[in-house]
Amino acid sequence: MLNELNEAQREAATHIDGPLLILAGAGSGKTKTLTTRLAYLIGEVGIDPLNTLTLTFTNKAAAEMRNRALALIDQNASSIPLLCTFHKFGLLFLKFNIERLNRKNTFNIIDSDDQKRLVKAISKDLKIELQPSFLISEISRYKNALLEPHEVEERAEISDYKKAAKVFTEYQKRLLENNLVDFDDLLALTYKILLENEDLRKETSNRYQYIMVDEYQDTNELQYQLLKLLTSEHNNICVVGDDDQSIYGWRGANIRNILEFHNHFEGAKIVKLEINYRSTQQILDVANSLIEHNRKRLGKKLVSHIGEGEEVRLLHSIDETFEAKAIASEIKELISRGVNPNEIAVLYRINALSRSLEEGFNKAGLAFKMIGGIRFYERAEIKDIISYLRVISNSDDDFSLLRIINKPKRGIGASSLEKIKTFAENKKTSIFQALSEASDDELHSILSKKAVKAVKEFIETIKLLQKEKEHLGEMINLFDEHTGLREYYAAMVDGFERVLNIDEFYGYFRDAIFKDEELTLEKFLSDIALQSDQDQVENSAVNIMSVHASKGLEFEYLYVIGLEEEFFPIVSETTDIEEERRLAYVAFTRAKKRLTLCYIDSRFYKGQRKQVKKSRFLGEAGLIKNESLKVTKSSSFKRGDLVKHKIFGIGRVQEVSKSGKDYKLKINFGGNKKEILSSFVEPI
């Protein structure tokens, strides 16, 4: 298997003990290298598969690695290695160890939509008017910083953050009451347990003697700290990543984890994979030229294994309508020549730009699929089915029960729900248990005759389905028959599509049962909760998606639209221009055969048409003479330098200071003094 690798890949795959950073450029065979290293450790060195742990960020990546690694390993092996996402590892760990926090291991996982509903309900109860997205972001930040509610409340000083702290306190209380965990808990609680239990930390670290991590540039602070605990007894960690593809800073990814790996893990070895097996040299030259403008990088230069290929193309249009029409026309021509539509993609930096594409493609009769729209599992009808299944799995899950007790409508309105909640609170038990054990007189004292009948029927339905929990195939048949969800959604205006979605879910459930005879309802629900956008990519039409959604994918023919200032890169006071440039680098390196970069003269955006300038990235990539702002490759701004800003004109630098991932310059523009990030000016 080592003969299949190039020299650098082989060096990485045969490294055994001690920390190793595999700096893997786009398309350089990182998955092949990682899976071969795993197979080498198990099949050649003799490491027990159970002593290895390989962590990824998506189920799709984990499944691909698992299949490829197992194909290289002796099939007679008595055990198989653990390859999973960080969150799946956290889930498995908590199932065995959450009792150390005095919690039951029958917990359910809530997703982002559940979080939003829960936060909205809490905000309403506390009479707090803040955006749910802000509150969810803050809660995630608190958890990743491992802060307890009381600590957050003590530290909060500004009004909005004091309110957010109160929501967080109540949010945690309700999660505990319903024995729920959110995505952040899967890692935060795992870290907490390992940190507070030295015996378990040593045992877990000694169990996983060889740890490998994919996409290391996307790890956050908590994931790094968790890895430090897991490797505390041996320091055998191998990470694969690309600092030039770190594009998730906005959701907590810390690029310093990969840039400073050699400082975090003493004696680290670094191997660079620079031979690219995906793209032509023309595409790589453009990508290399662009990314060289970034200061914070370890540095590497991709070389194509394929050869020169055709030049990178520029597509210039008057506006977005002409752009969409031109792209659709070209794509139809490609398809008519036999190109598989699945090998064609259009990427954009801003989601709003997809509107003109959808419209243009529809007019052209061009089939396309949106990646990253409303996800299948977040559709209302599917969320209802999942909530039913959660209650069947864990009848103490009040949160899920409240969603579906009146789905389909049973005459249990908001006031009845409040009475039911109060009734359960007074009984000091879950809603399901309280209603199950209540006498007729007790129920009639709080609900109407119609509501009592409906509640009883609902409870009986859940109990009936719980009896069949061990026979999932039969349960799903009874489920469809007794819940009435199909008829409920069929009666809606868009009922046909909703019923198709329901059928798709049932089909997926039955297929999962067929593939895994030992499948449990709990495992099925856990797997669903861990799904991601790319796990749902289909293979039947032209792909339209954001650059973020394209990470890890590749296409023969690629179009990137919106290469204009403010659209790509996004330009604002909070912009991290280096991350914007890394995003463009990721976009360009998705192309295998032909890359077309598109820009227009005017764009209809946020309610008005505006003239736009070509993106600085086109100039930095060497494709045009740069007419817009250019970021110098050097960080050596000094006092006295003359600089030019697109709004304030020419000014003189008075002070230079570091500001996060950039440099902040204090500039005197003819008496008008401003503090500006260095990436927004060009030296004169």
Side-chain angles (χ1 to χ4, degrees), residues 468-479:
E468 296 295 332
K469 220 171 73 162
E470 303 305 317
H471 309 93
L472 294 181
E474 181 58 29
M475 191 203 77
I476 201 65
N477 293 333
L478 288 172
F479 184 99

Side-chain angles (χ1 to χ4, degrees), residues 206-300:
N206 283 321
R207 179 186 306 147
Y208 301 115
Q209 286 283 329
Y210 292 89
I211 295 177
M212 290 189 274
V213 185
D214 189 24
E215 304 286 9
Y216 189 65
Q217 76 282 347
D218 294 336
T219 53
N220 61 24
E221 183 66 18
L222 175 56
Q223 287 160 338
Y224 159 67
Q225 294 292 350
L226 182 58
L227 288 169
K228 288 292 283 185
L229 292 181
L230 291 172
T231 58
S232 58
E233 295 300 301
H234 50 73
N235 218 29
N236 290 332
I237 181 170
C238 165
V239 304
V240 183
D242 184 0
D243 52 334
D244 292 333
Q245 295 187 72
S246 178
I247 60 172
Y248 296 114
W250 52 277
R251 71 179 187 199
N254 187 352
I255 193 174
R256 292 198 306 275
N257 289 350
I258 192 167
L259 294 178
E260 299 172 11
F261 180 82
H262 59 288
N263 295 327
H264 295 158
F265 296 93
E266 191 176 344
K269 179 176 183 176
I270 300 177
V271 177
K272 296 182 181 181
L273 305 185
E274 298 177 295
I275 299 177
N276 176 286
Y277 295 90
R278 175 191 298 156
S279 309
T280 63
Q281 192 60 51
Q282 294 271 9
I283 293 169
L284 296 182
D285 285 345
V286 166
N288 285 332
S289 178
L290 173 72
I291 203 63
E292 280 176 1
H293 287 73
N294 272 5
R295 305 181 189 106
K296 293 182 285 296
R297 62 191 295 258
L298 295 170
K300 63 183 174 319

Side-chain angles (χ1 to χ4, degrees), residues 85-132:
T85 64
F86 271 94
H87 290 96
K88 182 65 176 283
F89 173 76
L91 170 66
L92 294 171
F93 183 87
L94 292 180
K95 284 291 182 184
F96 286 102
N97 299 292
I98 200 168
E99 282 94 346
R100 296 209 182 208
L101 297 175
N102 297 316
R103 292 182 62 171
K104 295 178 183 176
N105 72 350
T106 55
F107 60 84
N108 278 330
I109 307 167
I110 61 170
D111 63 16
S112 55
D113 191 50
D114 297 322
Q115 271 190 303
K116 191 173 182 180
R117 289 194 300 116
L118 182 54
V119 164
K120 278 184 174 179
I122 292 169
S123 299
K124 185 179 178 183
D125 292 345
L126 297 179
K127 295 181 171 55
I128 287 174
E129 294 183 7
L130 288 173
Q131 285 292 328

Side-chain angles (χ1 to χ4, degrees), residues 572-595:
S572 73
E573 288 184 5
T574 58
T575 295
D576 177 352
I577 197 66
E578 294 214 354
E579 183 152 315
E580 290 293 306
R581 197 174 284 109
R582 290 194 293 270
L583 262 174
Y585 178 82
V586 166
F588 295 178
T589 54
R590 299 311 92 199
K592 295 196 282 186
K593 190 172 182 178
R594 180 197 287 175
L595 173 62

Side-chain angles (χ1 to χ4, degrees), residues 193-416:
I193 292 169
L194 285 171
L195 189 68
E196 294 175 355
N197 296 271
E198 188 176 357
D199 60 327
L200 184 60
R201 174 187 60 75
K202 287 183 177 180
E203 178 193 325
T204 307
S205 182
N206 283 321
R207 179 186 306 147
Y208 301 115
Q209 286 283 329
Y210 292 89
I211 295 177
M212 290 189 274
V213 185
D214 189 24
E215 304 286 9
Y216 189 65
Q217 76 282 347
D218 294 336
T219 53
N220 61 24
E221 183 66 18
L222 175 56
Q223 287 160 338
Y224 159 67
Q225 294 292 350
L226 182 58
L227 288 169
K228 288 292 283 185
L229 292 181
L230 291 172
T231 58
S232 58
E233 295 300 301
H234 50 73
N235 218 29
N236 290 332
I237 181 170
C238 165
V239 304
V240 183
D242 184 0
D243 52 334
D244 292 333
Q245 295 187 72
S246 178
I247 60 172
Y248 296 114
W250 52 277
R251 71 179 187 199
N254 187 352
I255 193 174
R256 292 198 306 275
N257 289 350
I258 192 167
L259 294 178
E260 299 172 11
F261 180 82
H262 59 288
N263 295 327
H264 295 158
F265 296 93
E266 191 176 344
K269 179 176 183 176
I270 300 177
V271 177
K272 296 182 181 181
L273 305 185
E274 298 177 295
I275 299 177
N276 176 286
Y277 295 90
R278 175 191 298 156
S279 309
T280 63
Q281 192 60 51
Q282 294 271 9
I283 293 169
L284 296 182
D285 285 345
V286 166
N288 285 332
S289 178
L290 173 72
I291 203 63
E292 280 176 1
H293 287 73
N294 272 5
R295 305 181 189 106
K296 293 182 285 296
R297 62 191 295 258
L298 295 170
K300 63 183 174 319
K301 196 155 191 170
L302 296 180
V303 178
S304 175
H305 183 73
I306 298 169
E308 278 298 304
E310 60 180 272
E311 287 187 3
V312 173
R313 303 163 68 241
L314 290 178
L315 180 60
H316 175 209
S317 306
I318 299 171
D319 61 22
E320 67 273 17
T321 303
F322 280 90
E323 178 182 63
K325 188 176 180 181
I327 294 172
S329 176
E330 285 194 9
I331 290 175
K332 289 182 82 171
E333 171 64 21
L334 288 172
I335 293 171
S336 72
R337 296 201 327 246
V339 175
N340 185 336
N342 192 53
E343 283 292 347
I344 306 170
V346 186
L347 309 183
Y348 44 79
R349 171 67 181 93
I350 297 176
N351 286 319
L353 268 57
S354 70
R355 179 196 63 81
S356 57
L357 279 178
E358 291 180 70
E359 196 173 278
F361 284 15
N362 281 328
K363 284 179 180 175
L366 186 63
F368 65 90
K369 55 178 177 276
M370 280 294 275
I371 310 300
I374 297 178
R375 288 167 53 184
F376 182 76
Y377 293 106
E378 291 176 353
R379 297 179 188 277
E381 58 273 22
I382 304 305
K383 291 290 293 182
D384 287 346
I385 295 174
I386 291 171
S387 293
Y388 263 99
L389 294 177
R390 283 177 173 169
V391 174
I392 293 164
S393 168
N394 171 18
S395 55
D396 291 336
D397 183 355
D398 288 354
F399 182 68
S400 295
L401 184 142
L402 288 170
R403 178 185 176 99
I404 46 99
I405 195 169
N406 199 38
K407 291 272 187 75
K409 292 192 181 300
R410 300 183 173 91
I412 305 171
S415 61
S416 294

Side-chain angles (χ1 to χ4, degrees), residues 538-597:
E538 296 172 331
N539 299 306
S540 57
V542 174
N543 304 275
I544 299 178
M545 68 189 85
S546 69
V547 178
H548 281 103
S550 75
K551 181 78 160 50
L553 304 177
E554 56 183 42
F555 306 93
E556 292 277 345
Y557 297 87
L558 185 78
Y559 294 81
V560 184
I561 67 167
L563 279 156
E564 304 110 27
E565 290 290 300
E566 294 189 57
F567 296 90
F568 203 178
I570 292 175
V571 179
S572 73
E573 288 184 5
T574 58
T575 295
D576 177 352
I577 197 66
E578 294 214 354
E579 183 152 315
E580 290 293 306
R581 197 174 284 109
R582 290 194 293 270
L583 262 174
Y585 178 82
V586 166
F588 295 178
T589 54
R590 299 311 92 199
K592 295 196 282 186
K593 190 172 182 178
R594 180 197 287 175
L595 173 62
T596 305
L597 305 178

